[in-house]
Amino acid sequence: MLVWARLVEAIDRRGGAAMVTVAATKGSAPREAGARMIVNRDGTFSGTIGGGTLEWRAIAMAQAALDKNSGAEKRRFSLGPELGQCCGGQVDLVIEVFGAGDRETAAAFAAREAEAPFTTVARFDGGGRLVRSIADEPVAPGSAVLTNDVLVEGFGEERRHLYLFGAGHVGKALVLALAPLPFTVTWLDPRPDAFPALVPANVILSRLDDPLDALTDAPAGSFVLVMSHSHQLDLALIQAALADDRFPYVGLIGSKSKRARFEKRLAAAGIAPRRLEDLVCPIGIDGIHSKVPAVIAAATASQLLARDEAIRVVENHESPALRRSAGRVG
């Protein structure tokens, strides 16, 4: 969620709003540190900190803070003893009030958030407000680290690029399944009128005469998923994707027998054995065997999410900047 854009919208339409942030957790908790929600005076909200009694209590506190225009406060909840939630962990919440006087700051952060993820360091000042400055060391978007009343936060969205070749029944179902998920989908098909009239906001349509051209400029780390109308085109696309180490996920719709045929041809074309092992075919998580397009799409979206998360865990663990930032806070 682009929280600063939501805050600016709330300030313009309603005169202000409160931001509730999960600043830290200990033990089992409904959401991770960095989860946020924007709460309006009437109790309507966007985002979630996990639902249940904790969220209900946070909304009520945010409304009360808005009524008092109370700046920022930090509150710790023991989920089991205090709220009766079975999670049993501990959650630190930060509740901040934003009004018309904060619009310029919020708009500046919203503009930065729309361009790329960024990180802030926030400290409580003597007047009960949380003052943010841009941090040199990044943390993951949507995360937060709280140490000694110093809050380091990652804002913005980190979206995985997915190059989806083919606008058939499964392709159409998949773009709908991916609409609310952290992917930017470049959807390619050389056939005229292959795409529906309306597509989700995270989808970019491309009617390239030669879809292979799209992979040339694809960012490193992009996922490639092939389900075109032509086996010959499928083979050419898979060969190009596997020949390039920039693509950590290369998926091909089809059966185990299709994979076997493709592997033989790809090996003859010089694709390395380790890359042939990387080929995902059939696509989708294990245990789902339906051939209904929407079911295939759901299984494949789950697989893409799992692969994306696994890659990000490795990237964040190996990043010296992230380790230094987490270890130096406060």
Side-chain angles (χ1 to χ4, degrees):
M1 180 175 72
L2 299 179
V3 294
W4 293 105
R6 295 289 179 89
L7 270 173
V8 171
E9 180 183 357
I11 291 170
D12 290 343
R13 294 180 60 187
R14 302 169 182 264
M19 180 161 67
V20 180
T21 300
V22 177
T25 66
K26 183 178 180 180
S28 179
R31 285 293 305 274
E32 69 284 356
R36 300 179 182 90
M37 58 192 305
I38 306 301
V39 180
N40 301 309
R41 281 187 171 85
D42 61 3
T44 58
F45 61 94
S46 58
T48 177
I49 59 169
T53 305
L54 176 67
E55 186 164 286
W56 174 83
R57 183 76 65 86
I59 292 170
M61 291 175 60
Q63 289 179 278
L66 282 164
D67 288 340
K68 294 185 296 185
N69 192 28
S70 58
E73 61 178 312
K74 180 170 66 108
R75 172 71 186 276
R76 174 169 293 172
F77 291 93
S78 296
L79 299 178
E82 191 172 353
L83 300 180
Q85 291 196 205
C86 60
C87 300
Q90 179 179 287
V91 173
D92 288 352
L93 296 182
V94 171
I95 300 173
E96 303 171 74
V97 170
F98 294 84
D102 303 302
R103 189 192 187 284
E104 184 177 350
T105 299
F109 283 145
R112 188 158 191 149
E113 184 180 52
E115 292 177 359
F118 70 100
T119 300
T120 63
V121 175
R123 293 176 172 84
F124 287 91
D125 67 7
R129 297 185 64 83
L130 203 58
V131 180
R132 289 180 173 84
S133 59
I134 302 299
D136 294 329
E137 300 282 0
V139 297
S143 68
V145 180
L146 177 66
T147 307
N148 299 329
D149 287 335
V150 178
L151 182 61
V152 179
E153 300 170 280
F155 292 102
E157 293 181 328
E158 215 168 32
R159 290 179 168 268
R160 178 75 59 181
H161 288 272
L162 170 67
Y163 285 76
L164 174 62
F165 295 90
H169 295 301
V170 177
K172 289 181 173 70
L174 184 60
V175 296
L176 294 178
L178 294 175
L181 302 178
F183 293 91
T184 296
V185 182
T186 299
W187 196 11
L188 303 105
D189 198 299
R191 298 172 295 173
D193 303 321
F195 301 110
L198 298 174
V199 297
N202 65 329
V203 174
I204 302 165
L205 298 180
S206 179
R207 294 180 174 85
L208 293 177
D209 291 334
D210 184 359
L212 282 167
D213 291 342
L215 294 180
T216 303
D217 298 322
S222 297
F223 288 179
V224 178
L225 187 50
V226 177
M227 48 181 69
S228 83
H229 63 290
S230 163
H231 278 211
Q232 182 177 354
L233 179 57
D234 284 355
L235 181 63
L237 289 166
I238 290 297
Q239 181 176 331
L242 290 177
D244 195 326
D245 284 336
R246 291 179 301 146
F247 307 124
Y249 176 96
V250 179
L252 171 68
I253 196 169
S255 61
K256 292 180 180 179
S257 60
K258 181 177 180 179
R259 179 192 182 108
R261 292 196 304 271
F262 270 50
E263 281 186 337
K264 187 177 296 185
R265 296 180 184 180
L266 291 166
I271 299 299
R274 65 174 183 82
R275 286 297 278 164
L276 289 177
E277 292 177 3
D278 290 338
L279 176 63
V280 180
C281 180
I283 57 173
I285 58 173
D286 292 336
I288 297 178
H289 307 292
S290 172
K291 295 183 180 180
V292 174
V295 177
I296 297 173
T300 304
S302 298
Q303 184 179 63
L304 292 170
L305 279 171
R307 185 65 61 89
D308 175 65
E309 184 169 316
I311 292 171
R312 293 193 191 283
V313 166
V314 172
E315 290 173 344
N316 291 342
H317 177 72
E318 292 179 349
S319 169
L322 291 176
R323 291 201 301 271
R324 288 197 302 271
S325 179
R328 197 178 62 191
V329 173

